Amino acid sequence: MEFKKNVWEQASHITDGCMGHEDAFCTAACPMHTDVKKYIAQIGKGDYEGALKTIREKLFLPNTLGRICAHPCETDCRRNTEFGQPLSVAGLKRFAAERADRKELWEDSVGEPTGKRVAVIGAGPAGAQAAIDLRKAGHEVVIYDKLHVVGGMMRVGIPEYRLPREVIDFEYSYLVDLGVEFKMGVEIGKDVTFSQLREDYDSVIVANGAHKGTIPPVPGKDAEGVFNAVDYLKDISLTHKFPKAGKKIAVIGGGDVAMDCARSSWRIGAEEVLLISLEELENLPASQEEIDESQEEDVQFINGWGTDEILKDKAGKVKGLRLKKVLSVFDENGRFAPQFSEETQEVKIDTVVFATGQQVEDITDGQLEQKGGGRYVTDPDTLATNLPDVFAAGDASGGAIVVQAMALGRKAAASADRFLKEKDLAEGRNFKLEYSFETRLDVPLPKGTENLPRTSGNHRSAKERKRDFKAFDLGYTDEQAQKEASRCLQCECKLCMTECLMMNDYGECPQDIFGEFLEKGEIDPIIPYSCNMCGGCTHVCPNDYKIGETFMGMRKDFILHNDGKSPMDGHKAIEVHQKLGFSKIFCTKVKGVK
Amino acid sequence: MGFMPGCSLPSYTPEGVKKTMEYLKQIYPDLGGVQKCCGKGTKALGQEEKFKERFAGLQKDIDDVGIETMIVACQNCYKTIKETSDHTDVESLWTLLPKIGLPEEVRGKAKDSDVVFGIHDSCSTRYEKEIQDGIRWIMSELGYRVEETEHSRENARCCGFGGMIVPANPDLATRVMKRRADDFESDHVVVYCAACRSSMMKVGKKAFHILDLLWGPVVYNEEPAPEDVLSSPAKSWINRYKSKHAVRQVVKA
Ligand SMILES: Cc1cc2nc3c(=O)[nH]c(=O)nc-3n(C[C@H](O)[C@H](O)[C@H](O)COP(=O)(O)OP(=O)(O)OC[C@H]3O[C@@H](n4cnc5c(N)ncnc54)[C@H](O)[C@@H]3O)c2cc1C
Ligand code: SF4
Ligand code: SF4
Ligand code: SF4
């Protein structure tokens, strides 16, 4: 049956813009698109295993991410944008992992062997995710890492008191289950050349992270006792020590890495820890949690000061810093261009750690092009490099946090898989869904929403925790997790569906109903003929969609194609009824008299 | 000035039609009358051509008896005439009564009633605030107490009768009726559309048309609501016939 143009137009207008299936803010912000809303609801119902399974559909590291994810989802969480109190999305993830994760629940099937072999450089989150996806696609995968331990920066950057190492090892055992092979302690570019690797494998994923610490060109930087954050944290991670450090440690930098260096300093026996940043306290780039936890641990913040000179003693050892007051950090175009006043001050310290950024090292002997920060040049959509068989992922190609590294690993794997199957790298892919995106969801707050405070967790006292490497955060109790889960607003639209009973019989939202109509070019007449024409849907729809009118348009077309009669059997009696309503027996007209 | 009872109201209460017209006649001695369907049902089925034809018939009747402003007591008639006629003005009885006032003898008559009525607003006039205000005004003039709900006024939900779904999808219609009934805490619901009344009666509410309250006896908690006449086609048609005579009788009086 044919429908008129206006029906098609209205149906596609609704289908295109309907927010019924639009992702919640948290899920859209998560580069891996974890179904946050769903697992939080499951935790709320006490279904911890269900929650864990939901998380594992996307993330092989629930407990790890539950502890250290930089959680872009929380930034975008409706409770954050409205009230500044985001759901503890990560904390609840850790809770689900602690309560329910067991190896038996892991989905470890792999695809039919393809006979292709892929080398992955780097056992960080990007390399690991790429390896998982490629194994699942049936390829043989070998991971190379210059370290003897897995996890990458999660292992040698993120401190142990935030992420116990056995958590990483347990979660990474999944890769072994899948049949991923590990060649640990092998450095590409040194032990094996990049060219050799390309010869030995059908494709290569480069995920070597950003492991080159930087030290800015400050006078005195060659003094004994000056270190970069990467080397500092790596040694502390691997040995719980840093013998070259003294007792009075100054960390330069204002980001999360600086906080990690400062807090780690206590744990290797420092007596005084300073944190010196160009930015004022309120503008520090570090997360508020990290700032609070550092301050609880008595790190002394000196904010709004830059390093003028590292002062040395006669032996060439660090003895202090001369600092100059910052006037502004950025120029009028927003570029980093710090300006200083004449004002200076000196601090007495014996060790300086620069947490001022990490760079990507070239391990390809110049075969891959590099840009700012040493990152390899890639096609942002596919992560293809200038070499057809090589794809770059993780920090090495532009990520900055673990969950981004995973999404980029997944992206690179998808491209490598296509390359190996001789398929076009881009065709039919929805790149938007492969990374964080902005949801189109735009709905009023649910009725009666109150500003409820975030449920605080259980941190060990600062005094106790700052001298050991054991986890400082003990995680939620059952009651705390329940309470926190109950704050979730379960963000979605589907407002019309709460008004309309009938549409619930035929789909999850109008996008389903009208989308199916557009796809098939037809619709069961019972659907438009079940509409009450009550306008309830349009009344609550943030887009004011004329759903009833669209059904009415369909009815009109049904009538036209059915000799002017309704296609519904039940309407036969109505026709008679209506005829009577216009018949002389029951009608009258009378002129008024004066 | 003229009055048009519509379809469901005359099928439900010839008495209500008669008393309403008698009161209007006191105020407008030259009151005319038309009884015919406005064609809303035809339109709802999607029968565009047939609707045009039928409305033209109604329009002719209205013109024939020289009515320039039509008073209606049905929200569908109100909307249909308002949207379709290019020269007949339409006024809802529910906005007119507050202007002309209620007869002295009914004012405050229910001040001792122990009933609290939930108000079922018609979804077809969800944005006609004046009509909704009029209903509340009448209730308070009579002396009845009312309860507003989350789904009052523009948030009104369908009674289940709309869109001709009862014959097309009866099971769904019953669910819609039940859902609407659950919007009210009170057992008693006042409506201003006879079809809505029938819907609410079908799912166990004590539903009263506001004309029942205006012209009938004072309602108390213990008493039953009037019978659901519209559920019986025979009774409905007899009533409609009686109403037709009432229209003639009152206009000519
Ligand atoms: C101190 C610090 C704290 C951080 N805290 C957080 C946090 O709390 N939350 C968060 O989400 N993110 C955090 N990050 C960022 C996060 O760790 C990285 O974004 C993420 O680990 C990048 O993953 P990747 O797989 O790209 O690289 P990496 O994790 O860096 O892994 C790269 C791997 O490649 C190996 N490799 C390097 N060169 C070679 C070679 N030539 N041959 C063989 N192997 C090689 C390395 O040994 C390493 O194992 C932090 C980073 C740092 C430095
Ligand atoms: S309130 Fe819940 S569903 Fe909404 S963005 Fe936050 S976590 Fe996601
Ligand atoms: S209210 Fe319904 S139709 Fe409107 S955008 Fe939301 S889901 Fe879609
Ligand atoms: S107008 Fe139709 S589709 Fe919209 S809420 Fe009413 S019955 Fe549902």
Side-chain angles (χ1 to χ4, degrees), chain A residues 254-292:
Chain A
D256 285 333
V257 174
M259 304 296 155
D260 285 339
C261 291
R263 295 175 68 186
S264 293
S265 299
W266 288 130
R267 288 160 173 85
I268 56 166
E271 282 161 11
E272 211 179 310
V273 182
L274 306 180
L275 185 129
I276 301 165
S277 72
L278 297 172
E279 300 88 354
E280 291 296 340
L281 183 59
E282 54 281 7
N283 297 327
L284 283 183
S287 72
Q288 195 56 45
E289 289 152 323
E290 286 274 349
I291 295 170
D292 293 346

Short mmCIF file of all heavy atoms in Angstrom, two decimals, chain A residues 254-292:
data_model
loop_
_atom_site.label_atom_id
_atom_site.label_comp_id
_atom_site.label_asym_id
_atom_site.label_seq_id
_atom_site.Cartn_x
_atom_site.Cartn_y
_atom_site.Cartn_z
N GLY A 254 51.12 20.40 38.08
CA GLY A 254 49.81 20.56 38.72
C GLY A 254 48.79 19.53 38.30
O GLY A 254 47.63 19.64 38.65
N GLY A 255 49.25 18.51 37.59
CA GLY A 255 48.29 17.51 37.12
C GLY A 255 48.25 16.28 38.01
O GLY A 255 48.88 16.24 39.08
N ASP A 256 47.51 15.27 37.57
CA ASP A 256 47.38 14.05 38.35
C ASP A 256 48.72 13.35 38.53
O ASP A 256 48.97 12.76 39.58
CB ASP A 256 46.38 13.10 37.67
CG ASP A 256 44.95 13.55 37.87
OD1 ASP A 256 44.68 14.23 38.89
OD2 ASP A 256 44.10 13.24 37.02
N VAL A 257 49.56 13.41 37.52
CA VAL A 257 50.86 12.75 37.63
C VAL A 257 51.68 13.40 38.76
O VAL A 257 52.35 12.72 39.54
CB VAL A 257 51.62 12.81 36.28
CG1 VAL A 257 53.02 12.24 36.43
CG2 VAL A 257 50.84 12.06 35.20
N ALA A 258 51.57 14.73 38.87
CA ALA A 258 52.27 15.43 39.95
C ALA A 258 51.76 14.97 41.31
O ALA A 258 52.54 14.76 42.25
CB ALA A 258 52.08 16.94 39.79
N MET A 259 50.43 14.80 41.42
CA MET A 259 49.87 14.33 42.70
C MET A 259 50.40 12.93 43.03
O MET A 259 50.71 12.62 44.18
CB MET A 259 48.33 14.28 42.63
CG MET A 259 47.68 15.59 42.24
SD MET A 259 47.95 16.93 43.44
CE MET A 259 47.76 18.35 42.36
N ASP A 260 50.48 12.09 41.99
CA ASP A 260 51.00 10.74 42.21
C ASP A 260 52.45 10.79 42.71
O ASP A 260 52.83 10.04 43.61
CB ASP A 260 50.94 9.93 40.91
CG ASP A 260 49.52 9.49 40.56
OD1 ASP A 260 48.67 9.45 41.48
OD2 ASP A 260 49.26 9.19 39.38
N CYS A 261 53.25 11.68 42.13
CA CYS A 261 54.65 11.80 42.55
C CYS A 261 54.72 12.28 44.00
O CYS A 261 55.50 11.77 44.81
CB CYS A 261 55.39 12.78 41.66
SG CYS A 261 55.64 12.19 39.98
N ALA A 262 53.90 13.27 44.31
CA ALA A 262 53.94 13.84 45.65
C ALA A 262 53.53 12.79 46.69
O ALA A 262 54.22 12.58 47.69
CB ALA A 262 53.01 15.05 45.72
N ARG A 263 52.43 12.12 46.42
CA ARG A 263 51.93 11.14 47.40
C ARG A 263 52.88 9.94 47.49
O ARG A 263 53.04 9.36 48.55
CB ARG A 263 50.52 10.72 47.02
CG ARG A 263 49.53 11.88 47.11
CD ARG A 263 48.15 11.49 46.62
NE ARG A 263 47.51 10.53 47.52
CZ ARG A 263 46.35 9.94 47.26
NH1 ARG A 263 45.73 10.20 46.11
NH2 ARG A 263 45.84 9.09 48.12
N SER A 264 53.49 9.56 46.37
CA SER A 264 54.43 8.45 46.40
C SER A 264 55.65 8.81 47.23
O SER A 264 56.27 7.95 47.85
CB SER A 264 54.87 8.08 44.98
OG SER A 264 53.79 7.56 44.25
N SER A 265 56.00 10.12 47.23
CA SER A 265 57.19 10.55 47.96
C SER A 265 57.08 10.22 49.45
O SER A 265 58.04 9.78 50.07
CB SER A 265 57.40 12.05 47.77
OG SER A 265 57.59 12.33 46.40
N TRP A 266 55.91 10.44 50.01
CA TRP A 266 55.72 10.06 51.44
C TRP A 266 56.04 8.59 51.64
O TRP A 266 56.64 8.18 52.62
CB TRP A 266 54.27 10.26 51.88
CG TRP A 266 53.80 11.67 52.05
CD1 TRP A 266 52.66 12.20 51.53
CD2 TRP A 266 54.40 12.72 52.81
NE1 TRP A 266 52.51 13.50 51.90
CE2 TRP A 266 53.56 13.85 52.69
CE3 TRP A 266 55.58 12.82 53.58
CZ2 TRP A 266 53.85 15.06 53.29
CZ3 TRP A 266 55.86 14.03 54.19
CH2 TRP A 266 55.00 15.14 54.04
N ARG A 267 55.60 7.81 50.66
CA ARG A 267 55.64 6.35 50.83
C ARG A 267 57.05 5.78 50.70
O ARG A 267 57.28 4.64 51.08
CB ARG A 267 54.65 5.70 49.85
CG ARG A 267 53.19 5.97 50.31
CD ARG A 267 52.19 5.81 49.21
NE ARG A 267 50.79 5.90 49.70
CZ ARG A 267 50.13 7.04 49.88
NH1 ARG A 267 50.70 8.21 49.63
NH2 ARG A 267 48.88 7.02 50.31
N ILE A 268 57.99 6.60 50.13
CA ILE A 268 59.38 6.13 50.12
C ILE A 268 60.19 6.84 51.21
O ILE A 268 61.41 6.85 51.19
CB ILE A 268 60.06 6.34 48.74
CG1 ILE A 268 59.99 7.81 48.31
CG2 ILE A 268 59.45 5.41 47.69
CD1 ILE A 268 60.92 8.16 47.16
N GLY A 269 59.48 7.47 52.14
CA GLY A 269 60.17 7.99 53.32
C GLY A 269 60.49 9.47 53.34
O GLY A 269 61.30 9.92 54.16
N ALA A 270 59.89 10.28 52.50
CA ALA A 270 60.15 11.72 52.51
C ALA A 270 59.70 12.31 53.84
O ALA A 270 58.81 11.79 54.51
CB ALA A 270 59.39 12.39 51.36
N GLU A 271 60.35 13.43 54.20
CA GLU A 271 59.97 14.11 55.44
C GLU A 271 59.19 15.38 55.14
O GLU A 271 58.48 15.91 55.98
CB GLU A 271 61.22 14.46 56.25
CG GLU A 271 61.76 13.24 56.97
CD GLU A 271 63.21 13.41 57.41
OE1 GLU A 271 63.74 14.54 57.35
OE2 GLU A 271 63.80 12.39 57.80
N GLU A 272 59.37 15.86 53.92
CA GLU A 272 58.66 17.07 53.53
C GLU A 272 58.37 16.95 52.04
O GLU A 272 59.26 16.55 51.28
CB GLU A 272 59.59 18.28 53.77
CG GLU A 272 58.87 19.53 54.13
CD GLU A 272 59.87 20.67 54.37
OE1 GLU A 272 60.83 20.47 55.14
OE2 GLU A 272 59.69 21.72 53.74
N VAL A 273 57.14 17.23 51.66
CA VAL A 273 56.80 17.14 50.24
C VAL A 273 56.11 18.43 49.80
O VAL A 273 55.12 18.86 50.40
CB VAL A 273 55.85 15.95 49.95
CG1 VAL A 273 55.55 15.85 48.46
CG2 VAL A 273 56.44 14.63 50.46
N LEU A 274 56.66 19.04 48.76
CA LEU A 274 56.08 20.28 48.22
C LEU A 274 55.53 20.01 46.83
O LEU A 274 56.09 19.20 46.08
CB LEU A 274 57.16 21.37 48.09
CG LEU A 274 57.99 21.73 49.31
CD1 LEU A 274 58.99 22.83 48.95
CD2 LEU A 274 57.07 22.19 50.43
N LEU A 275 54.46 20.67 46.53
CA LEU A 275 53.93 20.58 45.18
C LEU A 275 53.87 22.00 44.62
O LEU A 275 53.18 22.86 45.18
CB LEU A 275 52.55 19.94 45.17
CG LEU A 275 52.04 19.74 43.73
CD1 LEU A 275 51.56 18.31 43.54
CD2 LEU A 275 50.95 20.73 43.40
N ILE A 276 54.64 22.23 43.57
CA ILE A 276 54.77 23.59 43.05
C ILE A 276 54.16 23.67 41.67
O ILE A 276 54.53 22.90 40.76
CB ILE A 276 56.26 23.99 43.01
CG1 ILE A 276 56.84 23.91 44.44
CG2 ILE A 276 56.44 25.38 42.41
CD1 ILE A 276 58.33 23.92 44.51
N SER A 277 53.20 24.56 41.52
CA SER A 277 52.53 24.64 40.22
C SER A 277 52.44 26.07 39.73
O SER A 277 52.39 27.00 40.53
CB SER A 277 51.11 24.07 40.32
OG SER A 277 50.30 24.97 41.05
N LEU A 278 52.41 26.21 38.43
CA LEU A 278 52.20 27.54 37.83
C LEU A 278 50.78 28.02 38.12
O LEU A 278 50.54 29.18 38.38
CB LEU A 278 52.40 27.47 36.31
CG LEU A 278 53.79 27.09 35.80
CD1 LEU A 278 53.75 26.89 34.28
CD2 LEU A 278 54.80 28.19 36.14
N GLU A 279 49.83 27.07 38.06
CA GLU A 279 48.42 27.43 38.23
C GLU A 279 48.10 27.68 39.70
O GLU A 279 48.70 27.07 40.58
CB GLU A 279 47.51 26.29 37.74
CG GLU A 279 47.67 25.91 36.28
CD GLU A 279 48.75 24.86 36.04
OE1 GLU A 279 49.47 24.49 37.02
OE2 GLU A 279 48.90 24.41 34.90
N GLU A 280 47.11 28.55 39.91
CA GLU A 280 46.59 28.74 41.25
C GLU A 280 45.81 27.48 41.65
O GLU A 280 45.38 26.71 40.78
CB GLU A 280 45.65 29.96 41.29
CG GLU A 280 46.34 31.31 41.10
CD GLU A 280 47.33 31.65 42.22
OE1 GLU A 280 47.22 31.07 43.33
OE2 GLU A 280 48.22 32.49 41.97
N LEU A 281 45.59 27.32 42.92
CA LEU A 281 44.93 26.11 43.43
C LEU A 281 43.62 25.81 42.69
O LEU A 281 43.36 24.67 42.30
CB LEU A 281 44.67 26.27 44.94
CG LEU A 281 44.05 25.07 45.65
CD1 LEU A 281 44.93 23.83 45.53
CD2 LEU A 281 43.82 25.39 47.14
N GLU A 282 42.83 26.86 42.49
CA GLU A 282 41.50 26.61 41.91
C GLU A 282 41.57 26.26 40.42
O GLU A 282 40.59 25.79 39.85
CB GLU A 282 40.54 27.78 42.18
CG GLU A 282 41.00 29.18 41.75
CD GLU A 282 41.99 29.82 42.73
OE1 GLU A 282 42.43 29.16 43.69
OE2 GLU A 282 42.33 31.00 42.51
N ASN A 283 42.74 26.48 39.81
CA ASN A 283 42.85 26.15 38.38
C ASN A 283 43.73 24.94 38.09
O ASN A 283 44.12 24.71 36.96
CB ASN A 283 43.42 27.35 37.60
CG ASN A 283 42.50 28.55 37.68
OD1 ASN A 283 41.29 28.38 37.74
ND2 ASN A 283 43.06 29.74 37.71
N LEU A 284 44.07 24.20 39.14
CA LEU A 284 44.95 23.05 38.91
C LEU A 284 44.30 22.06 37.95
O LEU A 284 43.11 21.78 38.06
CB LEU A 284 45.23 22.33 40.24
CG LEU A 284 46.23 22.95 41.18
CD1 LEU A 284 46.41 22.06 42.40
CD2 LEU A 284 47.56 23.20 40.49
N PRO A 285 45.08 21.55 37.00
CA PRO A 285 44.49 20.57 36.08
C PRO A 285 44.18 19.22 36.72
O PRO A 285 43.40 18.45 36.18
CB PRO A 285 45.55 20.42 34.97
CG PRO A 285 46.75 21.16 35.40
CD PRO A 285 46.43 21.96 36.62
N ALA A 286 44.75 18.94 37.88
CA ALA A 286 44.50 17.64 38.53
C ALA A 286 43.04 17.52 38.94
O ALA A 286 42.34 18.52 39.11
CB ALA A 286 45.39 17.50 39.76
N SER A 287 42.58 16.29 39.11
CA SER A 287 41.20 16.08 39.53
C SER A 287 41.06 16.49 40.99
O SER A 287 42.01 16.42 41.77
CB SER A 287 40.82 14.61 39.36
OG SER A 287 41.48 13.84 40.34
N GLN A 288 39.86 16.92 41.34
CA GLN A 288 39.62 17.39 42.70
C GLN A 288 39.90 16.30 43.73
O GLN A 288 40.46 16.56 44.78
CB GLN A 288 38.17 17.89 42.82
CG GLN A 288 37.90 18.72 44.07
CD GLN A 288 38.83 19.94 44.17
OE1 GLN A 288 39.05 20.66 43.20
NE2 GLN A 288 39.43 20.14 45.34
N GLU A 289 39.55 15.07 43.38
CA GLU A 289 39.79 13.96 44.31
C GLU A 289 41.28 13.86 44.65
O GLU A 289 41.66 13.73 45.82
CB GLU A 289 39.35 12.63 43.68
CG GLU A 289 37.85 12.47 43.56
CD GLU A 289 37.47 11.56 42.39
OE1 GLU A 289 38.14 11.61 41.33
OE2 GLU A 289 36.50 10.80 42.53
N GLU A 290 42.10 13.91 43.59
CA GLU A 290 43.54 13.78 43.81
C GLU A 290 44.08 14.95 44.63
O GLU A 290 44.97 14.77 45.47
CB GLU A 290 44.28 13.71 42.47
CG GLU A 290 44.10 12.40 41.75
CD GLU A 290 45.12 11.34 42.20
OE1 GLU A 290 46.07 11.70 42.92
OE2 GLU A 290 44.94 10.17 41.85
N ILE A 291 43.55 16.12 44.38
CA ILE A 291 44.00 17.31 45.13
C ILE A 291 43.64 17.13 46.60
O ILE A 291 44.47 17.30 47.50
CB ILE A 291 43.36 18.59 44.56
CG1 ILE A 291 43.85 18.83 43.13
CG2 ILE A 291 43.63 19.79 45.45
CD1 ILE A 291 43.11 19.93 42.37
N ASP A 292 42.38 16.74 46.85
CA ASP A 292 41.93 16.56 48.24
C ASP A 292 42.77 15.52 48.96
O ASP A 292 43.20 15.72 50.09
CB ASP A 292 40.46 16.12 48.26
CG ASP A 292 39.53 17.21 47.75
OD1 ASP A 292 39.99 18.38 47.64
OD2 ASP A 292 38.36 16.91 47.45
#
